[in-house]
Amino acid sequence: MIPGLPDTYTLRARIIPALIAAIPVFVLATLSVPWDRFSLPQVLSSLSVAILLFALSDFARRHGRRIEPKIYAKAGGKPTVTMLRHRDSTLDEVTKAKIVAFLSSKIAERPPTVQEEDSDPIRADAFYERCGTWLRENTRDQKRFAILFNDNVTYGYRRNLLGLKPIALTLNTIVLLAGLAVLFYRWDLGIADELNGKMLGVAIIAFFHSVYLTLGVTESSVAEASRTYARQLLLSCVALSEGDGPKSRKPKSSSARPRKILVK
């Protein structure tokens, strides 16, 4: 990674959602200012877009984290916790038992039994939470756990875009009303030029962008990505356990020594 540039996760899970959330604003800023010459309006427009992008990327992370508890509450808990519970059937019993045994050995704690989980679910979930924390800290190698990293990026992208959804819809409303106001004002004055077409195009983009945010950016899509990431995270115990095992030794060469030929 080049120093000074955002890492892959920041780019794909924070900056891109910010870009998508503010597409109509960026289009409006681009079309409203003539770019055949570079002067103060162009500088101000570019600076405003850069500041808005930075602000939205920061909002994306903060608002994305803010909506997580609500999504987890509807799902019955954090997926990395719920999938380890005895009563959850996402993972088969044999695989789950191996995962829990491996993680319990890493955090040096005894896993709860079925009866203990039923009688004290808070304590059991706390154990599963510690297991998930250890696992996340030990699977940060993006090359070794490439699939896991991509699932994490997908979850972060959907979560952060959902967090920006109210802001994006507000910006769309402002852009849509501003574009329509300009069109009606110029229509009354009898002005018909290229700017009218640009404003109409921006209004159409803002409308369909709002439709996409309303129908495509939902809590269910975030919950789905969260469960996909959690499942892959737990299954990464297989790779970790193999790495802890004894390294296979290369078999020694079994080539026979050349026999001496006795000449009588």
Side-chain angles (χ1 to χ4, degrees):
M1 184 180 67
I2 302 176
L5 294 180
D7 57 81
T8 304
Y9 182 87
T10 300
L11 177 63
R12 293 168 56 186
R14 297 177 188 169
I15 295 179
I16 290 181
L19 283 170
I20 294 176
I23 281 178
V25 177
F26 296 149
V27 173
L28 178 62
T30 302
L31 296 181
S32 300
V33 178
W35 295 97
D36 54 347
R37 62 185 182 279
F38 199 75
S39 57
L40 184 59
Q42 287 78 12
V43 174
L44 293 177
S45 178
S46 301
L47 184 61
S48 300
V49 169
I51 293 175
L52 179 61
L53 178 60
F54 174 80
L56 287 178
S57 61
D58 181 58
F59 286 155
R61 180 178 181 274
R62 289 192 289 140
H63 286 260
R65 286 185 173 274
R66 189 176 299 173
I67 65 175
E68 272 186 337
K70 180 181 177 181
I71 296 175
Y72 292 159
K74 289 185 177 180
K78 187 181 295 186
T80 49
V81 171
T82 61
M83 289 183 184
L84 291 179
R85 292 171 181 165
H86 290 282
R87 59 185 180 275
D88 189 270
S89 59
T90 303
L91 301 171
D92 64 88
E93 293 183 3
V94 175
T95 301
K96 187 192 300 184
K98 291 180 179 179
I99 291 173
V100 172
F102 172 78
L103 292 175
S104 64
S105 67
K106 292 301 178 182
I107 65 174
E109 294 184 36
R110 183 180 63 83
T113 63
V114 178
Q115 293 76 15
E116 291 171 340
E117 184 179 296
D118 291 338
S119 61
D120 195 349
I122 296 178
R123 185 175 181 180
D125 284 353
F127 168 82
Y128 299 139
E129 177 64 29
R130 289 190 290 274
C131 289
T133 299
W134 183 92
L135 194 52
R136 282 188 292 272
E137 291 299 323
N138 288 272
T139 53
R140 295 188 181 278
D141 189 336
Q142 298 180 14
K143 292 182 179 180
R144 185 180 180 187
F145 301 98
I147 297 177
L148 177 64
F149 175 72
N150 288 328
D151 287 339
N152 188 29
V153 169
T154 300
Y155 168 67
Y157 164 81
R158 293 186 184 181
R159 181 201 67 183
N160 293 340
L161 187 56
L162 180 63
L164 288 175
K165 183 177 179 178
I167 299 175
L169 290 174
T170 301
L171 291 174
N172 282 356
T173 302
I174 295 173
V175 170
L176 185 61
L177 293 177
L180 293 177
V182 170
L183 285 174
F184 282 120
Y185 177 75
R186 292 170 63 85
W187 184 271
D188 290 338
L189 296 178
I191 301 175
D193 56 16
E194 186 179 355
L195 181 60
N196 287 10
K198 291 180 179 180
M199 290 297 102
L200 180 60
V202 171
I204 293 175
I205 291 175
F207 172 76
F208 283 105
H209 188 248
S210 298
V211 172
Y212 161 72
L213 291 173
T214 303
L215 301 180
V217 182
T218 60
E219 290 184 3
S220 60
S221 66
V222 177
E224 177 190 4
S226 176
R227 291 186 62 81
T228 300
Y229 166 69
R231 184 178 184 276
Q232 188 62 39
L233 177 64
L234 294 175
L235 291 177
S236 63
C237 287
V238 177
L240 289 172
S241 61
E242 290 176 352
D244 288 345
K247 295 182 180 179
S248 59
R249 297 180 180 178
K250 295 182 179 180
K252 296 181 179 180
S253 176
S254 60
S255 56
R257 295 180 179 179
R259 295 181 179 180
K260 294 182 180 180
I261 302 176
L262 300 177
V263 180
K264 294 183 179 180

